[in-house]
């Protein structure tokens, strides 16, 4: 057997091994999360943001939500009744029932936001966000006090300038973490805080007669 024949045999063997390993290649983490099953989800007459928070809590898949403001004091509600459905199926059903929203993955996080214009605050880019040995409350306060966020709050004259976690939550015992992010949007930073603090979801919403007040709830 000459050298040329030996080379061809080795090449074919290598290609065969590659083909076999490609068949068992692990799924991306995003796909694994979306295929996670929620045993039972029965929700009646709840705001879309609350439904999504329940999905996050039931599936342990972190979700960041930009909620649309109420119109004339009316809150849109939906019903979700599913058993043994995947996270993907639940999300698809939610945006079908409330087509004002779309969802997409952002690494290990799911973000849900309006189909139309997004809130400029969440899209604000912070050039450098760094915190050390803080809990989520302290991290959110640091984000609020960043130069870029303070600037847009002043420009838009928002009356409530408080970014906060779920009211009633105590800071005692919350996990500590550090973050060092560059050129990141407020939405992305909130995602990172949620992940680092082992929180399940965050919700951004505006309120008030002129929608000039806002809050961010994380839990």
């Amino acid at each position: 057997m000459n050298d040329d024949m030996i080379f061809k045999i080795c090449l074919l063997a290598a290609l065969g091994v590659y083909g076999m390993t490609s068949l068992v290649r692990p799924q991306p983490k995003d796909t694994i999360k979306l295929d996670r099953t929620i045993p039972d989800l029965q929700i009646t007459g709840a705001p879309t943001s609350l439904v999504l928070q329940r999905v996050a809590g039931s599936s342990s898949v972190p979700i960041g939500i930009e909620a649309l403001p109420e119109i004339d004091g009316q809150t849109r509600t939906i019903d979700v009744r599913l058993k043994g459905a995947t996270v993907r199926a639940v999300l698809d059903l939610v945006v079908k029932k409330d087509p004002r929203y779309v969802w997409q993955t952002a690494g290990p996080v799911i973000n849900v936001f309006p189909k139309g214009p997004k809130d400029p605050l969440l899209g604000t880019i912070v050039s450098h966000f760094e915190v050390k040995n803080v809990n989520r409350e302290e991290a959110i306060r640091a984000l609020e006090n960043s130069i870029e966020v303070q600037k847009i709050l002043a420009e838009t004259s928002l009356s409530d300038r408080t970014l906060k976690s779920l009211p009633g939550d105590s800071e005692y015992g919350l996990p500590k973490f550090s973050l060092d992010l560059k050129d990141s949007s407020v939405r992305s930073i909130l995602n990172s805080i949620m992940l680092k603090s082992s929180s399940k979801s965050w919700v951004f919403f505006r309120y008030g007669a002129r929608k000039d007040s806002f809050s961010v709830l994380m839990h």
Side-chain angles (χ1 to χ4, degrees):
M1 185 179 296
N2 58 35
D3 291 343
D4 185 56
M5 182 62 70
I6 293 174
F7 173 79
K8 289 180 179 179
I9 292 173
C10 291
L11 179 60
L12 288 172
L15 289 173
V17 171
Y18 174 80
M20 291 177 64
T21 56
S22 65
L23 292 175
V24 295
R25 188 176 299 161
Q27 290 180 300
K29 288 184 178 180
D30 292 350
T31 302
I32 295 172
K33 294 276 190 179
L34 292 173
D35 289 341
R36 186 170 292 172
T37 299
I38 301 175
D40 191 15
L41 192 65
Q42 305 293 324
I43 305 174
T44 303
T48 302
S49 59
L50 180 58
V51 172
L52 292 166
Q53 290 178 76
R54 286 279 303 277
V55 172
S58 300
S59 65
S60 297
V61 175
I63 302 179
I65 307 150
E66 178 184 344
L68 286 163
E70 297 178 354
I71 299 176
D72 299 326
Q74 300 296 315
T75 301
R76 184 166 181 170
T77 62
I78 60 175
D79 300 337
V80 175
R81 300 185 182 90
L82 291 170
K83 288 189 176 183
T86 64
V87 173
R88 184 193 302 275
V90 174
L91 291 170
D92 285 342
L93 179 62
V94 169
V95 297
K96 180 179 180 181
K97 285 180 172 285
D98 192 345
R100 300 175 301 165
Y101 291 98
V102 295
W103 67 270
Q104 71 176 26
T105 57
V109 173
I110 293 168
N111 281 142
V112 181
F113 43 79
K115 276 185 178 178
K118 315 298 182 292
D119 197 285
L121 176 56
L122 292 178
T124 298
I125 300 298
V126 177
S127 60
H128 188 197
F129 179 75
E130 182 178 13
V131 289
K132 294 181 179 180
N133 195 32
V134 298
N135 59 41
R136 71 184 180 203
E137 302 276 357
E138 294 165 328
I140 291 174
R141 286 196 291 269
L143 178 58
E144 174 191 1
N145 290 324
S146 67
I147 295 173
E148 293 86 351
V149 170
Q150 285 295 309
K151 181 180 178 181
I152 192 169
L153 293 182
E155 289 175 349
T156 54
S157 301
L158 292 178
S159 59
D160 183 348
R161 301 183 180 187
T162 304
L163 291 169
K164 55 191 175 183
S165 293
L166 192 63
D169 281 357
S170 171
E171 292 190 32
Y172 179 76
L174 291 176
K176 299 275 189 174
F177 57 90
S178 299
L179 277 173
D180 188 358
L181 304 170
K182 292 182 172 63
D183 298 323
S184 300
S185 68
V186 170
R187 189 190 309 272
S188 176
I189 294 171
L190 287 171
N191 286 345
S192 295
I193 293 173
M194 176 171 60
L195 289 172
K196 282 287 192 175
S197 64
S198 299
S199 299
K200 296 178 180 178
S201 65
W202 61 261
V203 183
F204 171 93
F205 61 94
R206 285 181 178 256
Y207 58 95
R210 295 182 298 171
K211 305 299 182 289
D212 55 359
S213 299
F214 75 94
S215 187
V216 173
L217 307 181
M218 185 177 292
H219 68 95

